[in-house]
């Protein structure tokens, strides 16, 4: 059994092994998509293939859509050449359930998939055609939070953007520069409206898209490359809906590959690209998923509410996003990531058998977070945490790692914990009631040193501020007591922690916890046991 159009003609073989295969005319779907494109997606990674692509497939199977998705990859072109093209743009979706069973669905809603770069001239011309089509309703994104950054941590425009501003359309080095160029072509050709909908797991994601596109366009107007009326188009005909997405999608796992191989499925090799993307013909993920989107689509949209998507207003999206990112899931994940690395764990699910870590995340969620969480109305916060703690994180068949979750932690702390601190201050609550959140801040500083609780060296996950943090902590070491004054500039860094820890008075608690974590071998475990008493 190989994943391609030809092999899928033998449906009986696939269904006899428990695989759900396509129930719609894929050839017709591809043809209709080519002639009247409706949906473009940028970011060809695993989360797209197993979530938005499956949502589109659900509509195709129900007869509620007749067109699929055109995919562009603007960062790692090997994903297209190695994980899409050899398999006719098909994906095997493997859903890992907590009871040990799996669902196996062939997903075929991707009609076209191309590298998004000028060097692929035919593919670039196709994107120009697509964006000039009035039928195009939406562009969505899963490019990771870093993909939206225009500036470095010092607030300076990234060099590539400086060049893009200077050179104008036709030479874009960055994805959003090329996207803005295509929007300008659409404006010049038809002026048809369109929605740019981020589906990335980051706060106010629609605002990030809007800021990127409008900043680039305004620079081009200033430099005389485009007319000022283009800005009017971006302000009146283009929408930037916010969304909240939630689905845990680990790297393709060898144990899953073994299960598929036992069925006779042959395309189980894990592909690692030169840019260190882990992908495969299959994508494995948890069963639970949420997607909440602001319903602002000026040229229409697919009927994704029929596939389980919540459509609502921006305020509700913001509340759901804050509930998840600031209280009910992401803070728990980050705490497990930091302390999981320190304690030598390599699976999130294994950490959920550790009483100390479970106590830590329960306190973060239920005790410290829930009192200030805003109930969005469409999803109940306590039930959401219950699902996370009791079903999602303990799922023994989810091969997710603390090392993966620990990536870019410096970019996450301010939102995942700082917002709760701000809410306490705003409501006049006693910051002394916070014990677990300061423990995570201290734990991250201890993690940055790259020594686990047995004092063995490990390599921290990639993080743009790792070297900065290490430099700030250069005088901090095992067995050495640190004073707040020695790391004052780090403790004051609101961009990392969300608040100035010195001004709020939390610095003393964080430093006390850090000193406890630094005492020696076994100090991390001992501190965890004592801090929540």
């Amino acid at each position: 059994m190989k994943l391609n159009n030809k092999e899928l003609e033998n449906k009986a073989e696939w269904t006899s092994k428990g695989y759900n295969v396509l129930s719609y005319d894929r050839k017709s779907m591809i043809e209709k998509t080519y002639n009247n494109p409706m949906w473009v997606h940028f970011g060809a990674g695993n989360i797209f293939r197993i979530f938005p692509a499956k949502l589109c497939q659900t509509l195709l199977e129900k007869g509620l859509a007749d067109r699929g998705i055109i995919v562009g990859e603007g960062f790692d072109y090997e994903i297209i050449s190695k994980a899409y093209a050899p398999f006719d743009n098909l994906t095997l979706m493997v859903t890992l359930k907590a009871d040990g069973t799996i669902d196996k669905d062939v997903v075929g809603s991707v009609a076209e998939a191309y590298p998004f770069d000028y060097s692929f001239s035919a593919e670039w011309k196709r994107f120009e055609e697509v964006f000039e089509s009035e039928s195009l309703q939406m562009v969505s994104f899963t490019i990771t939070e870093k993909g939206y950054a225009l500036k470095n941590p010092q607030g300076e425009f990234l060099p590539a953007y400086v060049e893009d501003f200077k050179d104008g359309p036709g030479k874009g080095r960055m994805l959003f520069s090329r996207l803005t160029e295509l929007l300008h072509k659409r404006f010049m050709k038809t002026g048809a409206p369109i929605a740019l909908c981020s589906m990335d797991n980051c706060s106010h994601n629609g605002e990030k898209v809007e800021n990127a596109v409008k900043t680039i366009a305004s620079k081009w107007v200033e430099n005389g490359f485009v007319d000022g009326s283009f800005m009017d188009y971006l302000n009146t005909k283009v929408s930037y809906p916010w969304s909240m997405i939630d689905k845990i999608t680990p790297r393709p796992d060898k144990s899953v590959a073994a299960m598929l191989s036992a069925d006779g499925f042959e395309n189980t090799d894990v592909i690692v690209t030169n840019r260190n993307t882990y992908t495969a013909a299959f994508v494995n993920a948890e069963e639970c998923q949420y997607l909440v989107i602001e319903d602002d689509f000026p040229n229409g949209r697919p009927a994704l509410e029929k596939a389980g998507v919540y459509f609502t207003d921006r305020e509700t999206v913001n509340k759901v996003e804050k509930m998840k990112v600031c209280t009910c899931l992401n803070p728990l994940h980050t705490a497990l990531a930091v302390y999981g690395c320190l304690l030598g764990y390599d699976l999130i699910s294994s950490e959920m058998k550790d009483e100390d870590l479970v106590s830590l995340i329960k306190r973060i969620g239920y005790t410290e977070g829930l009192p200030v969480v805003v109930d969005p109305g469409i999803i109940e916060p306590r039930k959401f945490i219950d699902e996370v703690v009791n079903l999602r994180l303990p799922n023994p068949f989810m091969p997710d790692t603390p090392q993966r979750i620990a990536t870019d932690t410096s970019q996450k702390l301010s939102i995942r914990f700082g917002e709760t601190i701000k809410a306490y201050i705003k409501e006049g609550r006693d910051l002394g009631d916070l014990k677990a959140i300061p423990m995570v801040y201290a734990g991250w500083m201890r993690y940055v040193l790259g020594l686990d609780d047995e004092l063995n060296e490990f390599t921290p996950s990639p993080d743009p501020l790792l070297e900065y943090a290490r430099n700030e902590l250069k005088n901090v070491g095992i067995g050495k007591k640190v004073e707040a004054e020695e790391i004052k500039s780090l403790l004051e860094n609101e961009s990392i922690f969300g608040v100035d820890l010195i001004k709020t008075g939390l610095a003393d608690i964080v430093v006390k916890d850090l000193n406890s974590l630094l005492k020696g071998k076994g100090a991390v475990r001992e501190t965890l046991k004592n801090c929540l008493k």
Side-chain angles (χ1 to χ4, degrees), residues 58-75:
T58 298
L59 298 186
L60 290 165
E61 291 174 334
K62 290 182 176 181
L64 297 172
D66 61 1
R67 287 162 288 172
I69 307 172
I70 299 170
V71 175
E73 173 55 41
F75 175 71

Side-chain angles (χ1 to χ4, degrees), residues 313-463:
D313 55 68
R314 177 172 293 189
E315 181 181 0
T316 302
V317 173
N318 193 38
K319 288 179 179 178
V320 173
E321 189 263 335
K322 278 190 172 182
M323 178 201 75
K324 176 220 169 196
V325 174
C326 304
T327 306
C328 297
L329 173 60
N330 295 37
L332 283 59
H333 237 168
T334 294
L336 289 172
V338 168
Y339 279 98
C341 292
L342 289 172
L343 293 174
Y345 283 103
D346 57 11
L347 283 174
I348 293 290
S349 57
S350 298
E351 291 186 70
M352 293 302 291
K353 298 175 184 176
D354 187 313
E355 291 183 4
D356 297 326
L357 293 178
V358 171
S359 294
L360 177 69
I361 65 167
K362 282 185 174 181
R363 182 173 178 93
I364 290 170
Y366 291 112
T367 306
E368 298 183 7
L370 267 185
V372 294
V373 74
V374 177
D375 188 340
I378 60 173
I379 301 173
E380 204 278 304
R382 180 172 287 276
K383 289 182 180 179
F384 192 93
I385 299 183
D386 289 343
E387 183 180 64
V388 168
V389 171
N390 299 321
L391 295 175
R392 299 176 68 181
L393 296 178
N395 184 342
F397 304 100
M398 275 292 292
D400 208 2
T401 68
Q403 291 75 22
R404 183 185 81 88
I405 303 300
T407 301
D408 301 334
T409 299
S410 71
Q411 310 296 288
K412 301 170 180 176
L413 295 172
S414 65
I415 296 296
R416 301 185 179 188
F417 303 98
E419 292 302 306
T420 293
I421 296 171
K422 290 176 186 176
Y424 268 65
I425 294 170
K426 183 178 180 180
E427 296 183 13
R429 293 176 177 268
D430 185 359
L431 292 179
D433 291 339
L434 300 177
K435 294 183 178 180
I437 289 176
M439 266 291 291
V440 178
Y441 285 167
W444 175 68
M445 294 180 198
R446 173 67 176 76
Y447 161 89
V448 162
L449 303 183
L451 293 171
D452 67 17
D453 201 24
E454 295 299 309
L455 305 186
N456 299 312
E457 291 188 6
F458 69 89
T459 302
S461 300
D463 189 313

